[in-house]
Every structure is written in structure tokens, then in C-alpha cells.
Amino acid sequence: MDREATAVAGETGSHVGLLKVLGPVHVWALGVGIVLVGEFMGWNYGVGKGGAFGALISCFVIGILYTCVAMIDSEITSTVAAAGGQYAQAKHTIGPLMAFNVGLYMVLTYTMLNASDIQVAGQLVQIAAGNMNVTIPWQPYTILCLALLTLLNYRGVLATLSVNFVITALAFLSILVLFIGVKPWAPHEVLLHSQLLTALPYGWLGVLASFHFGIWYYLGIEGTCQSAEEVRSPGRALPLGTMTGMITLLIAAAITWYVVCGLLPWEYIGWDAELAPLYDAARVTGSSTLTVILFIGTLFSAIASANGCINDAARAWFSMGRDRYLPIWFGAVHPKYRTPFRSILFLTPIAAIFALYIPLAEIITFSILSGLLNYTFMPINMWKFRRKWPIGSIRRGFEHPFHPIPAGVLLTLCVATFFAIYLGYGRQLLSMMLFYIVASAWFAFYRYRYVRRGDQFSMPWPRPQGY
Amino acid sequence: MWLLLTDAAWIVSIVIFGWLIWDFIRVNMRYSESVLLSSREGVDELFAESGQKEP
């Protein structure tokens, strides 16, 4: 060990670990940063399935799903203060096989979302050039975006999430500016809801099918848990950052639906080729200022999302490596920047390949399916957690109210959303399930022999009830 | 100008990835695996009263 490494190790009590430098603002920036891009694009395909009102219903119903996710996550993560988020939770409450699967769900969710975001960022630059009658390829800008964000993530979490806070806040502000710009206090002046809103075009089955895309409004808010090992006070910062993030997203989703559905007909909003409905809504107002602001907001939201996804995917992969669920080589921390540098670099070419060669709809469906599998695990996780360590048996940073109602609601809504996805993407759903079954078999019959079982349980808790 | 920007995007990306790979190799050669892999799953001040588990 050389002098620098000795100094580094000395500072941390002989371990080179992740830095505890984050506060609630960074947790908010991580969660909302990953998700906010879903207000700028993606949710609108739900309008194509269920009409404008169908998308509104799915916005509220899926909003309830994610509120349950945020409540459950806030309680467990504020207690299991470890990188890896739900993976670390599963390891403590259920067992290794579940933890391995949950870790994979998260890595795929965030890596695929990252690939989608950088692809969109590149295409937005291409659109900007196209508006000036210049034809350019989008690929260089996608790769540039990935390179810059990888560099940022590699060099430290504080700068990464501070940047994310600024660009996420600006993207959110752009939605508020558009909302004020369309004069909601004078409904018939700019907004034309009375002329544009129609009855459900495909009935209640269409509404159910739109649940699939309702996930876009909130996909990734659970990513706040990945910062658990790097926040100064998980018991305070994680619930505060996650719940305020969820409130921000509910407001942004409601404004987005209200503005877009008051400016554009549902057939156009739900059209497969419609990439950025908020940007198009700004263009329809005829205001060049609003158009520029919403273009920047859309670009910033995609960049913020990719930035947060690189952070979260790397933490999940790093945690699994550290526990030997994957080769331990991935469990390394950079001695100077204190980031999981091997995991960050390993996942970068995977995101690049998917971004460059796979269509957006395909990538994002992989991300949504993995995310939904993760949410399905959460109610089981919550029931186990409360049963093994009831209130009062261990110190919790946050106790969510009304248990077990949120867990029951979450499980019910997950089942309904699986059905909705099966209606449109049954083949992908089954392929994904097959992939996870094969991966589970690999872990159970090969990889598990390398896992140090005694090191799995790292929390200083009493023996669980019933054991 | 856009064509220049497109070339610049490729060049900047190559420079950034080049630096990342250089630093990655440098760190792996300079530090032993025992240092790089010394991170342990953390607990925080929330549990200070009950005492932290020694990894």
C-alpha cells in the first residue's frame, strides 16, 4: 500500500469506502432526476391506449402504486443503510436468491433507462439541428453525453448529484413556466380541454392497457435508496428526499397531463412517432420563448435521468460484487474519488451498445419490466420486515403509516400492471421472465458457492422474531 | 458549424474515455486489491447507540 492509499485508508479507519457526503437535496435530485424525463416523454403512449382520460386515470392509479413504493422504501432503507438499495433490503429480509434477482432487476432497470436517455438526448440535438435545416447524425451526441456523465460519476458522487440537482430543478421549472404560459386561469384562451377531451376511446380495457405507460411518470423514484451508504443521515435524508421527490413528481405529472391534453388532440399525443409531447405543446402555443425553454427542459431531463441511472446501476452492481454475488472484482472503490469505478466503467459500454443499436421502445420496455418486478418484491419485503422486526424491536429512521394497506395495494396494482404489459408486450414479458429464471439457476447452482454466507447480514439488529 | 460540432463531439468523447481508461489502469496498478476491495457495507450514526458491527 503506498502513501496515498495509506492516508486514504487511515482517514476511514482502514477501509476505502464510499463517501458519506449527501443530504436530502441530493436524494431528491437522484430520485426526481431519474424520473422527470418521464413527464417530458413516454407517458403519452398511454394516451394512445386509453385516450386522454385513460392516461389521467393511469397517472393517478400508478401514482398510488409509487406512493406505496416510496412509503415502503423510506421505512426499510432508512433502516438498512447500505448501497444497493432494495438488493441490500432483500438480503436482510428474504435471502440470497431474492437479493440476487432484485440486484439484477435494478441493474437492468437503470442501465436500460440510461441507454434510453442518452439515445433521446442525442436525438434531441438532431431535432434542434433539423429545425435549422441541418441534417446531422445523433450518435456522436449520444456518446458525448454518455462520456461526460460517466466522467462525472467516476470522479465523485457529490459533484454528480449536485449537478443533477441543478439540471433537474431547471427541467421542473420549465414545466411550471409552460403551465403559467398557457394561462390556466383563462381556460378557453389557450387551453381547449372542452373541445379536445373525449370519452374513453377503447373503454376500460384501454385504460388498463395505459397503466403500462403510466409507469413512465414515476419510473425510478425508488432509486433514491441506492444512495443509502453515501448520505450523511439516512434516517432523515432518505425519507425526506424520497417523499418530497414523490410529491414533486405527482405535481409535475398532473401539470403535464393538464397542459398537453389541453393543447393537442389525443390521437396525436398517443401517436407512436410522438417523441416529446411537452415540447410539442410549447410549440403549439406559438411562443418561441416557451419552445426554447421546453426544449432545454426536455434535454436537461434526459441528461439528469441518465446521470442518476449511471449512479444507481453502478451502486447495485458494486454491492453485488462486494458480497460476491458477482466477481468480487466489481466491489472496488476508487481510493481518490471514492466511487465504485470498476462497476461504472463496466456498465458504460453496455449502455452505449443498447443506445446505439436498439430501438427506444424496446429498451424502455426492458427497463419497465425489470422495475415492475422490483416493485412486486417490495410488498413481500415489507411484510417480512415488519414480521421479523416489529415496531420497537429495532430503531427505524421512518415508520410508514397504515401497514399493511400500502403493501396490499402495491401488490394488487403490480398484478394489474403486469396484465396491462402482457396485453401489449407479452413476448418481451415472457422473454424477460425466462432470462431471470436462467440467471437464478446460474446463481443457485454455480455462483452461490462463492458467497460468504456469514458476511451477508451486516446490520446490528437483534435476532428476528421466530428464529 | 453543426458538422464541426459533430466532429468535436467524437473527439471530446474519445479524449474522455481515453482519460477514464488511463486512470482506471493507473489505479489498478498502483493500489493492491486489498485496498481497492476494502469497502464494507456501512452503518451510520442512526445505529450509534446500539454500537456498530465491526466488519
Side-chain angles (χ1 to χ4, degrees):
Chain A
M1 191 188 303
D2 68 10
R3 191 182 301 165
E4 188 180 345
T6 307
V8 167
E11 285 169 19
T12 55
S14 81
H15 297 303
V16 180
L18 303 177
L19 276 183
K20 278 184 174 293
V21 289
L22 304 177
V25 163
H26 302 104
V27 176
W28 180 91
L30 178 61
V32 179
I34 290 174
V35 185
L36 201 62
V37 68
E39 325 298 335
F40 287 87
M41 62 194 66
W43 67 272
N44 52 303
Y45 302 127
V47 178
K49 301 283 182 187
F53 280 123
L56 181 63
I57 294 166
S58 79
C59 170
F60 289 146
V61 172
I62 301 297
I64 293 169
L65 184 154
Y66 276 92
T67 305
C68 297
V69 165
M71 289 168 77
I72 290 171
D73 256 355
S74 294
E75 175 167 332
I76 307 183
T77 305
S78 68
T79 316
V80 184
Q86 292 83 10
Y87 156 77
Q89 298 172 16
K91 203 174 62 168
H92 284 83
T93 57
I94 298 181
L97 186 58
M98 187 76 246
F100 173 77
N101 274 278
V102 170
L104 273 191
Y105 300 158
M106 288 189 298
V107 172
L108 259 86
T109 301
Y110 297 122
T111 305
M112 294 300 108
L113 194 53
N114 175 23
S116 312
D117 291 329
I118 56 174
Q119 189 185 92
V120 164
Q123 289 172 352
L124 283 170
V125 176
Q126 188 183 43
I127 289 170
N131 289 341
M132 297 177 199
N133 297 318
V134 180
T135 305
I136 56 165
W138 55 268
Q139 290 87 346
Y141 299 95
T142 288
I143 295 300
L144 177 64
C145 181
L146 182 64
L148 289 170
L149 297 178
T150 302
L151 179 68
L152 196 57
N153 272 273
Y154 188 93
R155 290 179 65 97
V157 71
L158 184 63
T160 299
L161 294 186
S162 297
V163 168
N164 234 38
F165 174 73
V166 174
I167 57 179
T168 302
L170 288 173
F172 181 64
L173 270 178
S174 75
I175 297 177
L176 295 181
V177 168
L178 178 62
F179 181 57
I180 294 166
V182 297
K183 301 178 184 172
W185 56 86
H188 300 291
E189 196 172 328
V190 182
L191 296 170
L192 303 170
H193 288 105
S194 54
Q195 288 101 310
L196 292 172
L197 292 181
T198 61
L200 299 175
Y202 304 114
W204 285 99
L205 193 62
V207 175
L208 185 61
S210 72
F211 282 12
H212 175 189
F213 299 100
I215 286 181
W216 277 71
Y217 285 115
Y218 317 99
L219 179 69
I221 185 65
E222 74 282 1
T224 53
C225 303
Q226 296 294 333
S227 63
E229 204 166 312
E230 291 158 285
V231 289
R232 288 186 295 268
S233 174
R236 173 176 167 271
L238 287 168
L240 191 59
T242 306
M243 298 308 278
T244 51
M246 196 59 218
I247 292 166
T248 309
L249 292 172
L250 287 166
I251 293 169
I255 291 177
T256 298
W257 181 90
Y258 182 76
V259 171
V260 174
C261 292
L263 287 169
L264 300 166
W266 74 270
E267 295 93 336
Y268 180 81
I269 301 169
W271 179 36
D272 285 349
E274 168 61 334
L275 180 68
L278 267 173
Y279 171 63
D280 283 339
R283 289 174 62 194
V284 166
T285 63
S287 162
S288 55
T289 307
L290 282 178
T291 304
V292 171
I293 289 174
L294 264 293
F295 177 81
I296 294 170
T298 308
L299 186 61
F300 277 10
S301 71
I303 294 171
S305 181
N307 197 22
C309 285
I310 294 172
N311 179 88
D312 279 6
R315 265 67 184 171
W317 197 254
F318 158 78
S319 299
M320 293 170 77
R322 190 169 59 177
D323 291 335
R324 297 170 190 265
Y325 284 50
L326 297 170
I328 195 171
W329 188 81
F330 291 114
V333 172
H334 196 293
K336 184 175 177 187
Y337 304 126
R338 306 289 198 84
T339 52
F341 69 117
R342 286 177 180 166
S343 297
I344 290 171
L345 287 193
F346 175 76
L347 294 171
T348 296
I350 298 172
I353 290 166
F354 274 87
L356 292 177
Y357 299 111
I358 309 293
L360 183 63
E362 294 278 333
I363 317 174
I364 197 65
T365 299
F366 286 137
S367 179
I368 287 176
L369 281 172
S370 298
L372 197 57
L373 285 166
N374 191 13
Y375 308 146
T376 310
F377 140 80
M378 287 181 190
I380 304 163
N381 186 29
M382 190 66 222
W383 278 313
K384 288 261 191 186
F385 184 58
R386 283 282 181 108
R387 205 183 62 200
K388 289 182 174 177
W389 294 279
I391 299 289
S393 63
I394 55 172
R395 189 172 168 192
R396 288 165 157 84
F398 171 77
E399 292 171 11
H400 86 65
F402 312 123
H403 177 76
I405 295 172
V409 170
L410 177 56
L411 188 60
T412 308
L413 292 178
C414 282
V415 171
T417 311
F418 270 121
F419 181 68
I421 293 176
Y422 185 76
L423 291 176
Y425 289 83
R427 185 173 53 82
Q428 285 92 333
L429 179 62
L430 295 175
S431 307
M432 207 73 181
M433 300 300 272
L434 186 65
F435 166 76
Y436 283 116
I437 289 168
V438 171
S440 297
W442 172 80
F443 178 76
F445 296 113
Y446 174 72
R447 187 68 214 174
Y448 188 55
R449 75 184 71 162
Y450 298 105
V451 174
R452 289 183 180 167
R453 296 170 201 183
D455 292 347
Q456 296 304 294
F457 201 95
S458 63
M459 293 295 122
W461 297 343
R463 189 178 290 273
Q465 284 200 0
Y467 286 79
Chain B
M1 187 194 75
W2 278 103
L3 293 176
L4 198 67
L5 280 175
T6 302
D7 289 341
W10 281 123
I11 293 165
V12 173
S13 301
I14 290 167
V15 169
I16 291 172
F17 283 126
W19 183 87
L20 285 168
I21 292 167
W22 172 78
D23 187 73
F24 177 81
I25 294 169
R26 188 182 66 88
V27 167
N28 281 294
M29 291 179 69
R30 193 169 174 186
Y31 298 97
S32 68
E33 285 295 283
S34 62
V35 172
L36 296 176
L37 301 176
S38 62
S39 165
R40 295 289 176 269
E41 194 164 87
V43 290
D44 78 326
E45 71 275 17
L46 183 68
F47 308 103
E49 290 169 17
S50 57
Q52 293 189 357
K53 186 177 177 179
E54 188 61 29

